[in-house]
Amino acid sequence: MNQENEMPKAFDPQAIEAGWYARWEDAGLFIADPTSPKPKFSMCFPPPNITGELHLGHALQTAIYDVIARYRRMTGREVLFLPGYDHAAIATQNVIEKQLAREGMTKEELGREGFDARVNAWYESVGAAILDQLRLLGASMDWTRLRFTMDARYVRSVMTAFVAFYERGWIYRAPRIVNWCPHDRSAISDLEVEWEEHHDVLYFIRYPIEGGGEVVIATVRPETMLADTGVAVNPTDERYSSIFGKTAILPLLGRKLPIVADSVVEKGFGTGALKVTPGHDPMDYDIGQRHSLELINGMHLDGRMNVPGLPYDGLPALEARTKVVADLKAQGFLIKEEPYTHEVGHCDRCHTVIEPLISEQWWLRMEVMRDKALAASAVGKVRWHPERYERTYLDWLRGLRDWNIGRQLWLGHRVPVYDCENGHRIVAVERPHDCAECGSTKLEQHPDVLDTWFSSALWPFATLGWPDETEDLKAFYPTAVNSTAREIINLWVSRMIMTGLEFMGEVPFADVAIHCVVQASDGRRMSKSLGTGVDPRELLTKYGTDAVRAWAASVGMSSQDVRFDESRVEGYRRFANKLWNATRLVLSSPGTPPAGEPGTLEIHEHLEDRWVLSRLSYACTAVTAGIENFTFQDSISAAYAFAWNEFCDWYLEAVKERLREGDAVAQDVAYLCLDYVFRLLHPFMPYVTEELWSRLPGERGFAMRAAWPEGEDRFVDPAAEETFGLVMSIVDEIRGHRQAAGAPPRGGELWLEPGPGREAAELAARLAWVELLSDDSNPGTPMAAAPGWVRFPFGSGDQRRHSEIKRLREDMEKTEAKLANPDFMAKAPPEIVKKMEERAAALRVALDRLA
RNA sequence: GGGCGGCUAGCUCAGUGGGAGAGCGCUCGCCUCACACGCGAGAGGUCAUUGGUUCAAACCCAAUGCCGCCCACCA
């Protein structure tokens, strides 16, 4: 078995990735079996919006999920990793409308049917592109269970949930003030509003009072005064106590406005008097409710003013504002203008300024679900990683209000509400044939669709077949883990938890891992429109999937957001190449490889063998702990450090000759290390590990299917670690001397006092490229690491020796000062005191050797 | 307005009480028969500021300053 001729000198990810993905898939390794006797482990991948291509954040998220999926398979679970995508109602409708606009068309011209056809065509093309990208990332998803939120069976789940809520009496229809997007002509929820700083003007306007006097109010939106129905002041505001209950006269219109007292009015803001516009401001709406003020709707659904008979009628809000201000000024009502900075709400999908207005909407009562969710958290049913995000979730949950689930869009799940010609209402999962009350067959479905998050909220069980008691649902619910960016904790995670508890009686996942957000390298948000986006496919092509995944895992669960740094991805590409070449070296060792599983030969003869296996056991522990704790960066760094800095840099250098000579034990140990490293790294870097695994001797099947390393405590060998540690110190010191002395890279002589043992001395000499002498009749530069000296063909080690003495002396002084401090000796724990004493002793010995 | 996070080497980031770390970049020496996507040796940090707790602080506490995020009905 000698395969090095088949292995190119450099690892080429492109050459192997597609092949392995196809082989895994063909072998059915991604497919979950609900009847398996193994413990089940399931995850439903957060369905990407079907609005376009995946970005780097998706790549990161996919990597995190797939690391977990592959790890759990290797630790003996029956894993379901379910893929899917989301129709993303508003977002997709915007994409399609933009397309139509480019073609000079509107959806109204196209009509509902034509529009649906366009949407379906879009689903087909983009859906496929998204799935391809998930494959490119190596995601081990069960494609036989692919779900789309617009699939018939998923739609049925959504309808079932709606009906169930309706039957519980939680869904009702009511006029309320809502966040209205004039562009999308739809209401959106509070969570879909993005706040942005605006620099506006605060206008101070005089409102005369009936019977004399006036009250001055401050507003940034003078155009809304056309719908004013009151004036409010704080009840404790003595400045205004004389005008409570009086009536103000609305300038320009002459409408009579009751002056009411309400404690939400801030005395310190503006003049302390507030114009009340219940139809166009959420706070004013509440005031209006409390004081029975009239409610006027002053705006059309497209954002133009709705004030029949007035000169402002039909104007867009900003134009109306200009005109209102001009008129106020002309008539002497405008007192002053001040620059004013405040937050203005925008639609998070189309970025249009939100207009609060009154609209009749479908609402979902949340109290019962909220309380169940709070109770579940109270008993620790959901674990958050990092923990602090639980508070984000709980704080929002505690202040939860009814959810506006209706949207006035064309795209989405139509609410399953049907009204017959005689005014009877039917709410049913399937479209009824006739009215249950009057038998009329003239039924009209309500035009509203559901908030896209309504359907997303059902994801962990609707994907498994709910409401049917499917085999999958029984086997794989609840799922194990959900991982998302924190921006959708409330939009999505919280609602899944609530619906999961409500319909399934159990939280949908035990662990929530909130991953970081990737920013552009300058700290700005990564986005296509800013030109700061990074196309994951370019990265995959340039560095390979493994490098991108390893990078993703190394940053994904770090506590803060991360600025994208391509050099770190490149670092992992080099790492993959290092693994490749280390394998090439080991495979080039002549002779028959050890039979059977690696590690079966007697491995205790050589110091380096015992050492590297001891280090390996440490790496196994650290990698496993990192995955279990959702701190993948710890896993990556432990595997990286072992594979490169210990196995390649020290072990392979130590056994090169033995490998060249076909030493079976060295081969056995090297194969064992590679075998372990590939398994430990497989979840992170599936391709290179699978490829190299397949090149190791013996029949070994897929790395993907291999068992996760455990029980390697048997390799722990503190004595070997200590002795090899000494060897490394000696070698480091000789190298340092050689460099400082300007001596040639190789050659020189080493003499060591007996002590570390003949094997260690020879190993050190070999690694440092010096000859080990057996007599010290002609001493050279003394060393600190061990009693002995080194000498090179030319060049003196004295310079480094002197700087080393200086360094050691400084260290010694600090350490001794500590030991001389009575407080330290009295209060520090004994083991720390002991450590310091040992350090001082070691420094003394080293100094004695050098001086 | 409330809450949370960040501030550590030139850059991007690890590091949660006992001698400051990684990747990349930089300097110097090496194409040493696995790897120049490499090997070896280095330079480079008052761990944001101030105060406190402690025998001991990058790490714990308080305040401050920037940067970012989440939540919020002060018009």
Side-chain angles (χ1 to χ4, degrees):
Chain A
M1 183 106 172
N2 185 330
Q3 299 192 351
E4 89 271 27
N5 291 333
E6 299 171 18
M7 287 183 78
K9 203 166 154 184
F11 171 52
D12 176 10
Q14 302 275 320
I16 60 148
E17 290 180 359
W20 280 117
Y21 197 89
R23 262 164 265 163
W24 291 326
E25 203 173 356
D26 290 348
L29 301 189
F30 301 159
I31 298 174
D33 175 7
T35 66
S36 163
K38 292 185 209 169
K40 309 296 186 297
F41 187 95
S42 58
M43 296 183 294
C44 297
F45 188 66
N49 287 354
I50 190 160
T51 50
E53 315 241 312
L54 298 188
H55 53 66
L56 211 46
H58 289 120
L60 182 136
Q61 184 169 48
T62 307
I64 287 174
Y65 269 96
D66 202 48
V67 163
I68 298 170
R70 288 175 184 270
Y71 168 74
R72 292 297 173 184
R73 279 190 200 95
M74 293 175 79
T75 53
R77 306 304 201 284
E78 184 65 30
V79 170
L80 168 61
F81 183 17
L82 185 144
Y85 48 103
D86 190 272
H87 66 290
I90 290 191
T92 305
Q93 177 164 320
N94 275 318
V95 171
I96 306 279
E97 284 192 280
K98 273 184 196 159
Q99 286 181 351
L100 291 175
R102 277 197 295 274
E103 297 163 27
M105 226 190 315
T106 66
K107 67 178 190 297
E108 285 75 16
E109 287 164 18
L110 196 61
R112 278 246 182 194
E113 274 185 27
F115 186 79
D116 286 347
R118 284 292 286 247
V119 168
N120 287 329
W122 172 259
Y123 286 161
E124 277 190 26
S125 63
V126 177
I130 287 176
L131 305 184
D132 278 349
Q133 291 184 66
L134 293 174
R135 287 169 196 266
L136 278 180
L137 287 163
S140 56
M141 294 168 166
D142 185 345
W143 298 107
T144 66
R145 289 179 168 85
L146 177 67
R147 293 292 182 268
F148 177 38
T149 49
M150 290 306 264
D151 288 342
R153 56 193 158 178
Y154 199 96
V155 172
R156 200 172 129 251
S157 304
V158 175
M159 297 304 131
T160 304
F162 186 99
V163 172
F165 285 137
Y166 190 86
E167 285 171 353
R168 284 164 171 73
W170 297 351
I171 286 181
Y172 63 97
R173 201 162 156 75
R176 293 267 188 89
I177 194 141
V178 298
N179 306 296
W180 186 264
C181 174
H183 173 268
D184 292 325
R185 308 244 185 122
S186 175
I188 60 174
S189 74
D190 292 342
L191 290 172
E192 292 167 296
V193 177
E194 271 181 10
W195 294 90
E196 203 174 273
E197 194 169 275
H198 274 214
H199 299 280
D200 281 324
V201 177
L202 189 61
Y203 300 91
F204 290 77
I205 304 167
R206 185 196 320 263
Y207 281 30
I209 294 176
E210 228 174 35
E214 65 180 29
V215 58
V216 177
I217 60 87
T219 179
V220 285
R221 302 200 58 195
E223 73 279 11
T224 62
M225 72 186 282
L226 303 173
D228 278 4
T229 59
V231 168
V233 296
N234 191 290
T236 65
D237 195 336
E238 294 174 4
R239 292 172 295 175
Y240 295 117
S241 51
S242 65
I243 65 170
F244 292 165
K246 291 193 173 174
T247 302
I249 309 291
L250 182 63
L252 307 182
L253 273 71
R255 184 181 299 140
K256 293 186 178 182
L257 309 176
I259 298 173
V260 302
D262 198 297
S263 56
V264 298
V265 181
E266 296 284 334
K267 286 190 278 187
F269 187 90
T271 61
L274 170 73
K275 74 184 202 54
V276 183
T277 320
H280 295 280
D281 184 280
M283 187 171 90
D284 292 10
Y285 178 82
D286 290 343
I287 296 173
Q289 293 281 320
R290 282 194 288 271
H291 301 278
S292 306
L293 297 179
E294 193 188 346
L295 199 155
I296 293 177
N297 185 345
M299 191 177 277
H300 293 290
L301 296 181
D302 60 2
R304 287 178 305 107
M305 302 309 290
N306 174 23
V307 282
L310 290 175
Y312 321 101
D313 191 38
L315 293 178
L318 282 178
E319 287 178 34
R321 181 179 308 175
T322 310
K323 193 162 169 49
V324 165
V325 169
D327 291 348
L328 286 171
K329 204 180 270 177
Q331 297 178 33
F333 289 111
L334 186 65
I335 289 180
K336 63 171 174 174
E337 302 174 30
E338 278 180 4
Y340 184 62
T341 302
H342 64 142
E343 301 273 304
V344 174
H346 294 69
C347 174
D348 73 349
R349 293 303 179 186
C350 70
H351 220 67
T352 306
V353 172
I354 290 303
E355 292 291 350
L357 50 75
I358 299 294
S359 168
E360 182 150 306
Q361 296 288 338
W362 292 103
W363 299 89
L364 176 58
R365 288 188 217 283
M366 303 301 288
E367 294 91 341
V368 175
M369 285 192 285
R370 177 197 63 200
D371 291 345
K372 283 185 186 173
L374 287 170
S377 274
V379 295
K381 293 255 186 177
V382 187
R383 295 183 294 267
W384 294 75
H385 312 273
E387 272 180 42
R388 66 191 136 82
Y389 285 116
E390 179 170 29
R391 198 172 145 182
T392 302
Y393 159 75
L394 291 178
D395 282 352
W396 180 79
L397 209 52
R398 291 193 185 106
L400 192 55
R401 294 188 289 176
D402 288 356
W403 178 8
N404 174 4
I405 53 173
R407 295 292 180 276
Q408 291 69 50
L409 304 171
W410 283 21
L411 200 163
H413 298 112
R414 275 293 267 287
V415 293
V417 176
Y418 306 85
D419 292 317
C420 86
E421 57 184 339
N422 298 316
H424 302 125
R425 172 158 286 179
I426 306 147
V427 175
V429 174
E430 306 284 349
R431 185 188 177 93
H433 177 264
D434 50 46
C435 176
E437 285 187 54
C438 66
S440 164
T441 55
K442 290 198 173 162
L443 301 173
E444 203 165 322
Q445 186 170 9
H446 196 276
D448 278 9
V449 301
L450 290 164
D451 180 359
T452 189
W453 295 106
F454 183 94
S455 50
S456 305
L458 314 172
W459 191 246
F461 46 93
T463 51
L464 297 174
W466 184 87
D468 297 334
E469 291 262 330
T470 62
E471 210 173 26
D472 276 2
L473 191 64
K474 278 183 262 178
F476 294 115
Y477 191 92
T479 69
V481 179
N482 184 268
S483 182
T484 61
R486 60 181 176 280
E487 63 182 2
I488 56 172
I489 288 175
N490 297 330
L491 277 168
W492 190 44
V493 180
S494 63
R495 287 161 175 171
M496 285 192 285
I497 293 172
M498 287 188 278
T499 62
L501 284 164
E502 182 60 32
F503 292 126
M504 297 297 297
E506 190 53 78
V507 292
F509 28 73
D511 290 285
V512 181
I514 302 299
H515 62 245
C516 74
V517 172
V518 186
Q519 303 171 330
S521 53
D522 60 4
R524 284 189 295 167
R525 188 186 176 83
M526 255 196 192
S527 88
K528 220 184 250 180
S529 55
L530 287 174
T532 50
V534 171
D535 185 351
R537 282 172 310 177
E538 278 177 32
L539 282 183
L540 295 173
T541 308
K542 203 163 163 191
Y543 301 108
T545 299
D546 292 328
V548 174
R549 289 173 56 121
W551 163 77
S554 75
V555 301
M557 289 300 291
S558 61
S559 59
Q560 68 176 79
D561 292 340
V562 64
R563 296 183 175 199
F564 180 63
D565 181 7
E566 193 165 331
S567 75
R568 289 184 65 173
V569 182
E570 187 180 354
Y572 289 111
R573 180 190 66 177
R574 294 186 190 180
F575 180 49
N577 191 58
K578 190 73 179 175
L579 296 174
W580 180 268
N581 278 292
T583 308
R584 212 154 69 91
L585 171 67
V586 176
L587 286 174
S588 70
S589 174
T592 312
E597 293 292 304
T600 50
L601 297 185
E602 177 52 56
I603 56 171
H604 298 294
E605 187 186 348
H606 292 282
L607 171 62
E608 62 268 25
D609 296 349
R610 281 178 276 132
W611 171 79
V612 79
L613 292 177
S614 189
R615 298 309 302 158
L616 173 65
S617 91
Y618 169 79
C620 290
T621 306
V623 173
T624 304
I627 302 178
E628 293 279 354
N629 299 332
F630 296 94
T631 52
F632 306 111
Q633 60 274 21
D634 296 340
S635 302
I636 287 279
S637 65
Y640 185 102
F642 172 74
W644 197 318
N645 305 123
E646 297 183 322
F647 179 68
C648 290
D649 288 351
W650 287 99
Y651 182 73
L652 288 182
E653 292 303 326
V655 298
K656 261 182 181 173
E657 280 179 32
R658 288 170 61 198
L659 286 174
R660 241 175 256 143
E661 289 159 5
D663 179 316
V665 175
Q667 288 180 353
D668 191 42
V669 173
Y671 283 134
L672 181 78
C673 289
L674 289 174
D675 174 295
Y676 270 74
V677 164
F678 297 156
R679 282 186 283 154
L680 291 174
L681 279 169
H682 179 78
F684 303 93
M685 307 176 80
Y687 289 116
V688 69
T689 53
E690 187 71 83
E691 172 71 20
L692 293 175
W693 171 271
S694 77
R695 288 174 181 268
L696 293 183
E699 287 301 315
R700 33 182 60 244
F702 289 102
M704 187 180 158
R705 212 184 226 162
W708 188 255
E710 52 188 319
E712 46 292 316
D713 291 355
R714 65 186 190 277
F715 295 139
V716 173
D717 189 336
E721 296 219 26
E722 190 182 342
T723 308
F724 199 86
L726 179 61
V727 170
M728 292 193 288
S729 301
I730 294 170
V731 172
D732 282 342
E733 193 170 6
I734 295 172
R735 285 171 175 168
H737 278 309
R738 187 191 292 282
Q739 193 79 11
R746 295 183 179 194
E749 295 168 334
L750 170 69
W751 181 82
L752 288 173
E753 259 182 37
R758 177 120 198 113
E759 187 187 14
E762 284 176 353
L763 186 55
R766 185 146 43 84
L767 289 169
W769 294 103
V770 289
E771 185 187 347
L772 186 65
L773 298 185
S774 53
D775 81 286
D776 70 335
S777 52
N778 186 14
T781 307
M783 297 200 302
W789 48 258
V790 63
R791 185 175 48 238
F792 304 111
F794 55 81
S796 159
D798 280 347
Q799 195 185 343
R800 184 187 145 99
R801 181 181 148 207
H802 291 310
S803 61
E804 183 70 4
I805 288 172
K806 187 165 170 255
R807 193 184 64 77
L808 291 174
R809 282 209 175 116
E810 284 168 6
D811 204 349
M812 178 88 165
E813 276 166 31
K814 268 193 278 181
T815 310
E816 286 186 333
K818 233 174 208 183
L819 291 169
N821 178 352
D823 280 338
F824 174 78
M825 298 303 285
K827 294 178 180 172
E831 64 271 19
I832 297 298
V833 174
K834 191 176 163 222
K835 198 175 156 188
M836 286 300 159
E837 282 167 345
E838 284 169 358
R839 182 185 300 165
L843 288 167
R844 221 168 281 132
V845 168
L847 277 169
D848 286 347
R849 285 174 190 154
L850 293 185

